[in-house]
Amino acid sequence: MEHQPSAIETQTYQRTFYSFLFEPVDNSSLIIFRIFFGLLLALEGGGAIATGWVKRVFVETTYTFTFIGFEWLHPLLGETMYAVYIILCLCGMMVMLGWYYRFSMTLFSLLWTMTYLMQKSSYNNHYYLLMLICWIMVIMPAHHYKSLDVRFGRVTQRLTCPRWCLLFFVMQVSLVYIFAALAKIYPDWLALLPINIWFDDKADYFAIGALLQKEWFRQMVAYGGIAFDLLIAPLLLWKITRKYAFIVAIIFHLFNSIIFGIGIFPYLMILFCVFFFPPATIRQIFFKAKPLTESRYSRESAFNTKNKIVFGIFLIYFIFQLFLPLRHLWYKGDVFWTEEGHRMSWRMMLRAKSGTIYFKVKDADTGAILDINPRQFLTRKQISKMATQPDMIWQFSQFLKNYYQTQNKKTEIYAFSKVSLNGKQPQWLIDTTTNLAQVRWQPFQHAAWILPEN
């Protein structure tokens, strides 16, 4: 018969597990992460203004595609958004300096979440990852060393933090990499279709343009990308390969930064590597004058109600993070085509989509039809994005319904969108016979008015 652990043995295992998670360890990794993370936040806020991104996305638009249910954020559009991003930049600098850390980190998280929910025309998974990390950093004890909060006596100096504070980032970034690798294993990526489209347009890139046109290099990018995402976390965790993996990570993310221009994300992913190194190594590099920490930790004290609650919260969090990237399996059809379950799933830089779209507004009483060019209401970028995104097409249909419908007039809205996925023959995306004005949005069901890809 198999040995069944007794209640005493089970409790012993639990005590050992909790003592490991909550044991104080050198907090150097968390402190240096806070400093550079704050710098990246400041650059994100200031850079969005300097590059004209805020102007293009929020100021020059009269309508934005919010996440469905957050339409009440529309009134913030316009030059008010300059002030929002200036505050984001200032909060980032305060986080870096550790000055009123909790306040500045919370304010940044609130404003960033608001801007994330306000627009989908420039959506990418990097913004979602940044939102998650910001909210986690709110509760992290990242300001108890090398901060103005310590210098001015707002908090006491600490040389340690619970081990789970470091393990959280290891687990989070590992999930990002693993799901990114799994998402790449599909026929179009393996056939280099999206990579061919991206690199064909970069032949004139300085120094590397000719290299991007080589078939062998494109294959290396496609298959090497899968291998990198799948193996980088384990290789960073293994002492023997850690240094080499770190060098490869730097090269990989700098390449993405140069080729795709994706903001602070590559540098944030490089920064995450500090959590894969022993804290003592980080202390020796960045804080040589920092005293060595001596643990006077009682393992029995870790097995308490507070720590159980903390563990329970993060267990729920990671279960949720495991579910979200897989939710597309519940929907009918290919997620690359229908987009159902695409967002918040680490499906980053995987497909090239383009399309055209126009609408017809029909008076249900008279039968009169009006052709609508979205350029009347949207920017070129918004139209380009909307043409390939069914939920955005539905949102704009509701906008047109409200715009043209009066009390005594019933309006029907029909969308005509042709989409090419990864350079293939354009196909109809939306059923052109469906009156979208009468369609209710059902986030947990497949939308039958999305036509299947042939």
Side-chain angles (χ1 to χ4, degrees):
M1 294 181 61
E2 294 185 3
H3 171 69
Q4 297 293 329
S6 65
I8 295 177
E9 289 176 322
T10 301
Q11 191 176 66
T12 300
Y13 295 148
Q14 290 177 337
R15 289 182 185 277
T16 302
F17 177 71
Y18 277 90
S19 65
F20 174 78
L21 285 181
F22 292 91
E23 180 180 6
V25 295
D26 191 321
N27 63 1
S28 297
S29 302
L30 184 60
I31 302 305
I32 200 64
F33 181 82
R34 184 211 81 221
I35 294 171
F36 283 104
F37 183 63
L39 175 62
L40 291 176
L41 296 184
L43 292 174
E44 180 68 30
I49 297 176
T51 60
W53 188 88
V54 173
K55 181 180 180 181
R56 293 190 300 271
V57 174
F58 293 117
V59 178
E60 294 180 339
T61 57
T62 57
Y63 175 85
T64 60
F65 293 92
T66 68
F67 276 70
I68 295 174
F70 291 89
E71 292 78 11
W72 51 271
L73 289 170
H74 275 147
L76 293 171
L77 286 177
E79 294 187 354
T80 303
M81 294 305 296
Y82 284 126
V84 170
Y85 274 80
I86 289 173
I87 295 173
L88 286 172
C89 181
L90 293 175
C91 285
M93 289 189 285
M94 291 172 67
V95 169
M96 178 179 64
L97 297 172
W99 187 40
Y100 289 92
Y101 170 78
R102 298 284 190 204
F103 168 79
S104 56
M105 194 69 256
T106 302
L107 182 57
F108 188 99
S109 301
L110 284 169
L111 293 178
W112 184 260
T113 301
M114 179 190 76
T115 59
Y116 171 81
L117 296 172
M118 276 183 70
Q119 57 82 28
K120 290 187 288 192
S121 302
S122 298
Y123 172 88
N124 62 54
N125 280 283
H126 315 152
Y127 297 157
Y128 169 59
L129 176 62
L130 188 60
M131 182 179 72
L132 292 180
I133 299 302
C134 283
W135 281 113
I136 292 301
M137 285 296 287
V138 169
I139 65 174
M140 288 289 177
H143 60 314
H144 285 275
Y145 187 74
K146 288 296 180 181
S147 70
L148 293 182
D149 282 347
V150 170
R151 170 171 287 191
F152 295 114
R154 298 193 69 251
V155 298
T156 58
Q157 177 172 286
R158 296 178 189 168
L159 305 179
T160 64
C161 65
R163 181 181 274 113
W164 69 263
C165 293
L166 309 185
L167 292 179
F168 169 87
F169 294 99
V170 172
M171 293 178 64
Q172 178 66 77
V173 74
S174 296
L175 284 177
V176 172
Y177 279 128
I178 291 171
F179 278 116
L182 296 177
K184 287 184 176 71
I185 305 175
Y186 80 103
D188 285 5
W189 181 268
L190 300 178
L192 311 182
L193 296 188
I195 291 176
N196 287 337
I197 293 173
W198 300 330
F199 286 6
D200 283 348
D201 292 335
K202 303 181 186 300
D204 58 348
Y205 261 43
F206 176 73
I208 62 172
L211 181 63
L212 298 179
Q213 308 312 304
K214 303 293 185 181
E215 179 74 10
W216 65 265
F217 186 78
R218 296 183 178 190
Q219 290 178 348
M220 185 181 73
V221 170
Y223 292 93
I226 295 174
F228 176 86
D229 288 340
L230 198 60
L231 298 175
I232 189 61
L235 293 177
L236 283 170
L237 285 170
W238 193 19
K239 181 180 180 180
I240 296 176
T241 57
R242 183 176 295 133
K243 291 181 180 179
Y244 305 106
F246 180 54
I247 294 172
V248 172
I250 292 175
I251 295 172
F252 178 86
H253 289 298
L254 289 181
F255 174 82
N256 285 340
S257 179
I258 294 171
I259 298 301
F260 299 111
I262 44 181
I264 69 169
F265 175 72
Y267 307 96
L268 177 60
M269 296 306 288
I270 293 173
L271 181 58
F272 279 129
C273 291
V274 301
F275 294 108
F276 289 84
F277 285 85
T281 302
I282 303 301
R283 185 187 70 245
Q284 292 169 5
I285 297 173
F286 294 101
F287 308 117
K288 292 182 179 180
K290 183 181 179 183
L292 295 176
T293 59
E294 293 184 5
S295 176
R296 298 179 180 176
Y297 174 62
S298 170
R299 291 180 175 271
E300 293 294 322
S301 65
F303 195 62
N304 58 53
T305 302
K306 177 183 176 182
N307 289 350
K308 290 179 182 178
I309 293 174
V310 171
F311 174 74
I313 291 173
F314 280 98
L315 180 62
I316 294 172
Y317 171 85
F318 279 109
I319 291 174
F320 190 66
Q321 287 299 309
L322 285 170
F323 166 76
L324 274 182
L326 298 174
R327 72 189 189 281
H328 70 276
L329 298 174
W330 295 95
Y331 296 100
K332 181 181 177 181
D334 182 3
V335 63
F336 293 103
W337 179 254
T338 68
E339 299 291 325
E340 293 174 314
H342 170 79
R343 297 187 185 94
M344 300 178 287
S345 61
W346 315 126
R347 313 182 74 82
M348 299 178 283
M349 300 296 294
L350 294 175
R351 78 277 195 269
K353 245 177 156 181
S354 60
T356 58
I357 189 168
Y358 69 94
F359 293 82
K360 288 184 181 292
V361 177
K362 180 179 179 181
D363 188 323
D365 296 326
T366 65
I369 296 177
L370 179 65
D371 289 338
I372 301 297
N373 186 333
R375 284 296 301 272
Q376 296 175 236
F377 307 97
L378 305 175
T379 66
R380 188 183 302 274
K381 180 177 181 179
Q382 287 178 311
I383 297 171
S384 176
K385 194 72 171 181
M386 175 183 66
T388 66
Q389 306 286 322
D391 63 327
M392 295 171 67
I393 293 174
W394 178 85
Q395 284 180 280
F396 191 66
S397 297
Q398 307 311 301
F399 168 80
L400 291 176
K401 171 186 174 181
N402 295 331
Y403 187 85
Y404 285 101
Q405 186 165 288
T406 62
Q407 283 186 331
N408 301 318
K409 182 179 179 181
K410 293 183 179 180
T411 302
E412 299 176 3
I413 308 293
Y414 300 91
F416 297 79
S417 174
K418 269 196 171 182
V419 173
S420 170
L421 175 61
N422 294 327
K424 290 178 284 189
Q425 184 70 24
Q427 301 176 37
W428 291 111
L429 176 64
I430 304 298
D431 183 356
T432 58
T433 64
T434 297
N435 174 18
L436 294 178
Q438 297 301 315
V439 171
R440 292 184 59 188
W441 183 254
Q442 296 177 307
F444 304 109
Q445 295 182 22
H446 167 67
W449 43 271
I450 302 176
L451 298 176
E453 181 192 17
N454 295 323

